[in-house]
Amino acid sequence: MTDSNETDVQIDALRSLLRQGDIAAFRESFLDWHSYEQGQFYLELSEEERHIVYSYLSPEELADMFDMIEEEDEDVKEYLAEMRPSYAAAMLGHMYPDNAADILKQLDKPAVAQYMSIMAAEKALDLKELLHYEDETAGAIMTTEYVSIVANQTVKSALNLLKMKAKKAEIIYYVYVIDESEHLVGVISLRDLLVGEDDEMIFDIMSERVISAKIGDGQEDIAQVIRDYDLLALPVTDYDDHLLGIITVDDIIDVIDDEAASDYSGLAGVDVDVTNENPLKASSKRLPWLITLLFLGMSTATLINHYEVLISEASILAVFISLITGTAGNAGTQSLAVAVRRLAVSDDKDENFLKLILSEIMTGVLTGLITGLVIFVVVGIWKGNFILGLVIGIAMFCAIIVANLAGSLIPMLMERLGFDPAVASGPFITTLSDLTSVLIYFNIAGLFMNFFIN
Amino acid sequence: MTDSNETDVQIDALRSLLRQGDIAAFRESFLDWHSYEQGQFYLELSEEERHIVYSYLSPEELADMFDMIEEEDEDVKEYLAEMRPSYAAAMLGHMYPDNAADILKQLDKPAVAQYMSIMAAEKALDLKELLHYEDETAGAIMTTEYVSIVANQTVKSALNLLKMKAKKAEIIYYVYVIDESEHLVGVISLRDLLVGEDDEMIFDIMSERVISAKIGDGQEDIAQVIRDYDLLALPVTDYDDHLLGIITVDDIIDVIDDEAASDYSGLAGVDVDVTNENPLKASSKRLPWLITLLFLGMSTATLINHYEVLISEASILAVFISLITGTAGNAGTQSLAVAVRRLAVSDDKDENFLKLILSEIMTGVLTGLITGLVIFVVVGIWKGNFILGLVIGIAMFCAIIVANLAGSLIPMLMERLGFDPAVASGPFITTLSDLTSVLIYFNIAGLFMNFFIN
């Protein structure tokens, strides 16, 4: 693996070539680098230095690098704005269409229109189509630069065709076979082409069982298919089976990462996308949730306030508030995590809703029963008061069942209502379960009040 | 995307061919399927039906399918045990070495020795080496079936060599160039070979800047490199740059998924690997954490018990216990999530420890200050008692700082001690922060006691 110190040294060396104005030496070093490393270099430059880069490199050379840059939208916008429009448009035209579309989506409409009008007409048309697809669907993440051939030709002619198209296509390791009206009818890997005999016909050796996605399929489902089938790319068709594009595995890795980060952020009630922030930025991200939950927590306080008479008569009740709310909160978080994960990985989202709820209730009853029994014994012995133990035990039992249900029901409802289930965050569930637990606890305690009044 | 109903129908049809004993028809259908689908079919069969499969398919044909099966270790063990040893050994020998090694790692030593002794000697040697590498390192996830060539030959001869090796290698889209003592000296993509002229020399067109991993590198770091550079495979060398194997992108997707699931499970305090379990199994997974945390929560209860006199004198104090513990818990969960994520994605793990801690303290002070101020005003107005508001506000401020620190310090300490930082779960942090919050709260309240005694 590349040593990060070594990289730093190389970056410094390249930077001084840039500043000294040694075009030839700079280009030789820079173009020898992997486009990811070029991107890392570029991101370190000042605006002034970047302007020199634009004058030293062609739009096409810069496009290779921009294909690998995964920066915050803000920054990329700024980079484009500082290039001459004709240079930026040419660069966008040389990028892979899916990446160019990702950038264009961040720009204002007039800027997009401007670039489109300067760009080659065919390119602009391609991009315009990609821009129309809904976010997080196959259409939004596919590229239009794939290799397609017709079935009625020999391996040799297909390989010759491939050689011509190889430079432009994003991935050439699967070749898609189409009929005269561009229906997807087969697939053949470059490996099979390579080991095939020169005069074999494509239709004899292609596979007709093509795994493909529809243009409107969600990116999570697509990621699951690519993962299950170990594919390097997946073809995308419209609802009439016309081939429209392909989705490559590198984009799917980004999807998997993003989905994981978003599920994870949801569970914690904080956006963890950027992990190295200054305290001011970090606080401004965390505070909205904290304050919102503070007000939700206030309703719990109000509720306890309502039972203050009970507490002043039997202050022992106060001792167990945090134990019951805490344990119910833990149980709720567990069931939330399982529910969100199930929604994320499940192939079949229409699974029996009732069956899942019943199973979650059963799990709540079982965990509640055992936890309740344990605390009944512990409190009974500790306080020498098994009635108190019973109250705590029963309250714990009920609070856990309710928290479990909330933890699994709320994300499922969110999903049905069309929201991301991960926004039902862990802190939200625990704060909500605080409220219900307190309500349950004091109501049960009220029934047994005669036993506590000192 | 394949319709799941359609798949069910196909599985049923294939199953009846199996039961009717129609070998030819069964083989024709089965072998036409993608190996992932073959695996889904196989996993649905009864033991009796699986025995028929073993008699209808060669070990080699079964190996293709087993390469795609990602099942719980228990099950795969069982499948192997029901095959004849010679059949199982032959199948393992035909699998990709990394996948075969994954299976062998789950077996008892005598079973491994038995299979090794039946297998072709060369295969057994390959596998034995793979078995020695530490889990979650490059060695443990790499495969030894790659294509390597020497630099001193033409494109044409390299392509001919590739054709011969193509059937066996796990991925042929990158060809690695080695010198006479097997040092990795370059890489060339099949794309470049294809567009190259027949008589060009490999050393003229290969790239000498090979991105590679060392045999002991951690799988998370490798996943990051493959993701950053958009690679389909990464070569693995020993510390003297000898090429030992390659890691393919499909295995990296599994690594990314696993790491995400484990971080996520940690945050929730429950293993979410399997999401569709019966209530009994689900409860048995969740209870250990719940009960452990219950006992940790008991120390909070004991602590509150210690302040019971305070509460009986000023029962209003009980009203705010859950608000303070809840809010501090939420803040702790947020800072835990950020810390675990930072540890997972950070390239440079030796970042300034002190700087991170200082930054986290500052974030705690800022969020604590604002949250404390808000609750000071709210409680002051609600209860018409700004001294009470002050107590709650100060307690909240201190509790949030401590929870923030615990949330970020504990995973960092875990990492330094060599544990997975994700095991410092969210519920553990919230339960711990309950304890410290209560301690802070009652100590501050004690100082102001004169103002509350009714």
Side-chain angles (χ1 to χ4, degrees):
Chain A
M1 215 145 300
T2 1
D3 189 330
S4 63
N5 282 331
E6 202 182 307
T7 315
D8 286 346
V9 172
Q10 292 181 331
I11 285 183
D12 288 344
L14 194 57
R15 202 170 195 160
S16 35
L17 288 180
L18 187 72
R19 286 193 171 156
Q20 288 154 22
D22 190 341
I23 305 195
F26 171 79
R27 284 180 52 85
E28 196 189 324
S29 285
F30 183 86
L31 295 176
D32 189 37
W33 285 18
H34 190 284
S35 9
Y36 169 72
E37 293 160 342
Q38 295 175 348
Q40 295 306 100
F41 168 74
Y42 174 82
L43 293 177
E44 296 231 336
L45 300 181
S46 67
E47 185 178 340
E48 195 189 337
E49 290 168 324
R50 288 197 300 268
H51 274 290
I52 311 181
V53 169
Y54 305 145
S55 66
Y56 283 9
L57 297 175
S58 72
E60 190 168 354
E61 286 158 348
L62 203 69
D64 288 343
M65 184 194 84
F66 260 81
D67 270 325
M68 299 293 289
I69 288 185
E70 285 170 19
E71 264 308 284
E72 298 283 309
D73 319 326
E74 297 289 305
D75 297 334
V76 174
K77 237 164 143 173
E78 197 185 300
Y79 300 148
L80 254 76
E82 72 194 19
M83 302 177 193
R84 269 174 299 117
S86 60
Y87 186 91
M91 187 200 75
L92 287 167
H94 280 110
M95 286 179 68
Y96 290 124
D98 53 339
N99 299 335
D102 282 347
I103 293 183
L104 286 174
K105 273 183 197 157
Q106 316 304 334
L107 306 182
D108 314 324
K109 281 201 176 156
V112 175
Q114 186 194 30
Y115 293 138
M116 293 289 211
S117 67
I118 311 177
M119 217 178 282
E122 196 195 349
K123 266 284 168 196
L125 213 70
D126 257 18
L127 281 176
K128 205 172 268 173
E129 254 174 41
L130 286 183
L131 286 177
H132 278 139
Y133 296 115
E134 214 178 316
D135 267 358
E136 312 205 337
T137 63
I141 55 175
M142 74 181 186
T143 180
T144 47
E145 289 185 344
Y146 51 87
V147 184
S148 62
I149 58 174
V150 295
N152 191 19
Q153 61 180 314
T154 61
V155 165
K156 188 172 178 155
S157 76
L159 272 173
N160 281 333
L161 205 67
L162 194 58
K163 272 183 206 183
M164 280 165 43
K165 293 190 182 176
K167 228 187 126 32
K168 253 188 76 186
E170 187 159 346
I171 205 164
I172 61 161
Y173 303 124
Y174 298 136
V175 176
Y176 300 98
V177 185
I178 51 176
D179 65 14
E180 59 286 348
S181 39
E182 303 218 8
H183 291 107
L184 177 66
V185 294
V187 64
I188 184 163
S189 69
L190 179 49
R191 185 197 295 246
D192 290 337
L193 277 179
L194 216 56
V195 299
E197 297 300 325
D198 278 359
D199 55 357
E200 270 182 296
M201 297 301 287
I202 296 299
F203 54 70
D204 280 332
I205 57 171
M206 74 183 190
S207 160
E208 287 165 49
R209 292 177 63 91
V210 196
I211 319 292
S212 67
K214 294 283 177 234
I215 190 80
D217 284 343
Q219 60 178 12
E220 278 189 63
D221 296 337
I222 291 167
Q224 195 61 40
V225 170
I226 288 197
R227 195 202 145 154
D228 283 345
Y229 286 86
D230 284 359
L231 300 174
L232 301 178
L234 184 72
V236 180
T237 65
D238 63 16
Y239 291 89
D240 204 20
D241 270 340
H242 295 100
L243 182 59
L244 297 176
I246 60 167
I247 294 167
T248 52
V249 68
D250 54 297
D251 293 330
I252 284 308
I253 290 187
D254 298 339
V255 167
I256 293 176
D257 263 7
D258 289 350
E259 298 284 348
S262 116
D263 286 354
Y264 185 77
S265 299
L267 198 58
V270 62
D271 179 4
V272 295
D273 253 9
V274 187
T275 51
N276 278 315
E277 285 179 320
N278 66 47
L280 204 67
K281 259 200 165 172
S283 308
S284 69
K285 263 192 189 170
R286 299 186 195 181
L287 274 169
W289 254 120
L290 273 187
I291 301 284
T292 310
L293 293 171
L294 184 72
F295 281 96
L296 185 56
M298 273 304 295
S299 36
T300 310
T302 316
L303 191 67
I304 304 180
N305 187 53
H306 180 74
Y307 295 107
E308 207 194 321
V309 183
L310 224 64
I311 298 173
S312 67
E313 285 175 7
S315 55
I316 184 75
L317 288 179
V319 170
F320 296 98
I321 295 178
S322 78
L323 187 66
I324 291 176
T325 57
T327 308
N330 292 340
T333 305
Q334 290 183 330
S335 96
L336 171 74
V338 173
V340 170
R341 183 84 183 159
R342 182 172 49 222
L343 289 169
V345 302
S346 168
D347 293 330
D348 182 8
K349 303 230 163 157
D350 298 318
E351 274 176 294
N352 198 327
F353 191 72
L354 216 73
K355 209 185 123 206
L356 282 176
I357 293 298
L358 267 178
S359 151
E360 201 56 48
I361 292 181
M362 276 304 298
T363 308
V365 169
L366 271 172
T367 47
L369 198 66
I370 294 177
T371 315
L373 269 174
V374 170
I375 200 64
F376 161 70
V377 173
V378 170
V379 171
I381 293 174
W382 180 35
K383 289 285 163 189
N385 183 343
F386 280 91
I387 302 289
L388 181 66
L390 194 67
V391 170
I392 310 289
I394 295 176
M396 192 80 94
F397 172 70
C398 300
I400 287 179
I401 296 178
V402 172
N404 253 23
L405 256 184
S408 54
L409 261 181
I410 291 177
M412 280 200 258
L413 284 176
M414 293 254 182
E415 168 99 2
R416 301 233 145 189
L417 295 174
F419 296 109
D420 181 354
V423 297
S425 79
F428 175 69
I429 293 291
T430 45
T431 309
L432 189 72
S433 104
D434 281 359
L435 185 70
T436 57
S437 308
V438 163
L439 191 67
I440 291 168
Y441 176 40
F442 281 105
N443 272 301
I444 291 174
L447 297 178
F448 291 80
M449 206 50 206
N450 302 336
F451 298 95
F452 305 128
I453 293 186
N454 309 333
Chain B
M1 215 145 294
T2 1
D3 187 329
S4 64
N5 281 332
E6 203 184 306
T7 315
D8 287 347
V9 171
Q10 291 180 332
I11 285 185
D12 287 346
L14 195 56
R15 202 170 195 162
S16 34
L17 288 180
L18 188 73
R19 286 193 170 154
Q20 287 155 21
D22 190 342
I23 306 195
F26 171 80
R27 283 180 54 85
E28 199 191 320
S29 284
F30 182 85
L31 296 176
D32 188 38
W33 285 18
H34 190 285
S35 8
Y36 169 71
E37 294 160 341
Q38 294 175 350
Q40 296 304 102
F41 168 73
Y42 174 81
L43 293 177
E44 295 232 335
L45 299 181
S46 67
E47 186 178 341
E48 197 189 335
E49 290 168 324
R50 288 197 300 266
H51 274 291
I52 311 181
V53 169
Y54 305 144
S55 66
Y56 283 10
L57 296 175
S58 73
E60 192 170 353
E61 287 158 348
L62 204 68
D64 288 342
M65 184 193 84
F66 260 81
D67 270 323
M68 298 292 290
I69 289 185
E70 285 169 19
E71 263 308 283
E72 298 283 307
D73 318 328
E74 297 287 305
D75 296 333
V76 174
K77 238 166 144 171
E78 198 185 298
Y79 300 148
L80 254 76
E82 70 193 22
M83 302 176 194
R84 271 173 298 117
S86 60
Y87 186 91
M91 187 200 73
L92 287 167
H94 280 109
M95 286 177 69
Y96 290 125
D98 53 339
N99 299 335
D102 282 346
I103 293 182
L104 285 173
K105 271 181 198 158
Q106 317 304 333
L107 305 182
D108 314 324
K109 279 201 177 153
V112 175
Q114 186 196 29
Y115 293 138
M116 294 289 212
S117 67
I118 310 178
M119 219 179 282
E122 195 196 347
K123 265 283 168 195
L125 213 70
D126 257 17
L127 280 177
K128 204 172 266 171
E129 256 174 40
L130 285 184
L131 287 177
H132 278 140
Y133 296 116
E134 214 177 314
D135 267 358
E136 312 205 336
T137 64
I141 54 174
M142 74 182 186
T143 180
T144 50
E145 290 183 344
Y146 52 87
V147 184
S148 62
I149 59 175
V150 294
N152 191 17
Q153 61 180 313
T154 61
V155 165
K156 189 175 175 149
S157 76
L159 272 174
N160 280 333
L161 205 69
L162 194 58
K163 274 183 206 184
M164 281 165 45
K165 292 190 182 176
K167 228 188 126 29
K168 253 189 76 187
E170 188 160 344
I171 204 163
I172 62 162
Y173 304 124
Y174 297 137
V175 176
Y176 299 99
V177 185
I178 52 175
D179 65 13
E180 59 286 345
S181 39
E182 302 216 9
H183 292 106
L184 178 64
V185 293
V187 64
I188 184 163
S189 69
L190 178 49
R191 186 198 295 245
D192 290 338
L193 277 179
L194 216 55
V195 300
E197 297 299 324
D198 278 0
D199 54 356
E200 269 183 296
M201 297 302 287
I202 295 299
F203 53 69
D204 280 332
I205 56 170
M206 74 184 190
S207 160
E208 286 165 51
R209 293 177 62 91
V210 195
I211 318 290
S212 66
K214 294 284 177 232
I215 189 80
D217 284 342
Q219 59 178 14
E220 279 188 65
D221 295 337
I222 291 167
Q224 194 62 40
V225 171
I226 289 197
R227 195 201 144 155
D228 283 346
Y229 287 85
D230 285 358
L231 300 173
L232 301 178
L234 184 73
V236 180
T237 65
D238 63 16
Y239 291 88
D240 205 19
D241 270 340
H242 295 100
L243 182 59
L244 297 176
I246 59 167
I247 294 168
T248 51
V249 67
D250 54 297
D251 293 330
I252 284 307
I253 290 187
D254 297 339
V255 167
I256 293 175
D257 263 6
D258 288 351
E259 298 285 350
S262 115
D263 286 354
Y264 186 78
S265 299
L267 198 59
V270 62
D271 180 3
V272 295
D273 254 9
V274 187
T275 49
N276 278 315
E277 286 179 320
N278 65 48
L280 204 68
K281 260 199 164 170
S283 307
S284 70
K285 262 191 188 170
R286 299 187 195 180
L287 273 168
W289 254 121
L290 272 187
I291 301 284
T292 311
L293 293 171
L294 184 71
F295 280 98
L296 185 56
M298 273 304 295
S299 36
T300 308
T302 316
L303 191 67
I304 303 181
N305 188 53
H306 181 74
Y307 294 107
E308 206 192 324
V309 184
L310 224 64
I311 296 172
S312 66
E313 284 174 7
S315 53
I316 185 74
L317 288 179
V319 170
F320 297 98
I321 295 178
S322 77
L323 188 66
I324 290 176
T325 57
T327 308
N330 291 341
T333 305
Q334 289 184 330
S335 97
L336 170 73
V338 174
V340 169
R341 182 83 184 165
R342 181 171 49 222
L343 289 169
V345 302
S346 167
D347 292 330
D348 181 9
K349 304 230 164 159
D350 297 318
E351 274 176 293
N352 198 327
F353 190 72
L354 215 74
K355 207 185 123 207
L356 280 177
I357 293 298
L358 267 178
S359 152
E360 201 56 49
I361 292 181
M362 275 305 298
T363 308
V365 169
L366 272 173
T367 48
L369 198 65
I370 293 176
T371 315
L373 269 174
V374 170
I375 201 66
F376 160 70
V377 174
V378 170
V379 170
I381 293 174
W382 179 36
K383 287 286 163 189
N385 183 343
F386 281 90
I387 302 291
L388 180 66
L390 193 68
V391 170
I392 310 290
I394 296 177
M396 192 79 95
F397 172 70
C398 300
I400 286 179
I401 295 177
V402 172
N404 253 20
L405 256 184
S408 55
L409 262 180
I410 292 179
M412 280 200 259
L413 285 176
M414 293 255 182
E415 168 99 1
R416 301 234 144 188
L417 296 174
F419 297 107
D420 181 353
V423 297
S425 79
F428 175 70
I429 294 290
T430 44
T431 309
L432 189 72
S433 103
D434 280 358
L435 186 70
T436 55
S437 308
V438 162
L439 191 67
I440 291 169
Y441 177 41
F442 281 104
N443 273 300
I444 291 175
L447 296 177
F448 289 81
M449 206 51 205
N450 301 335
F451 297 96
F452 304 127
I453 293 187
N454 308 332

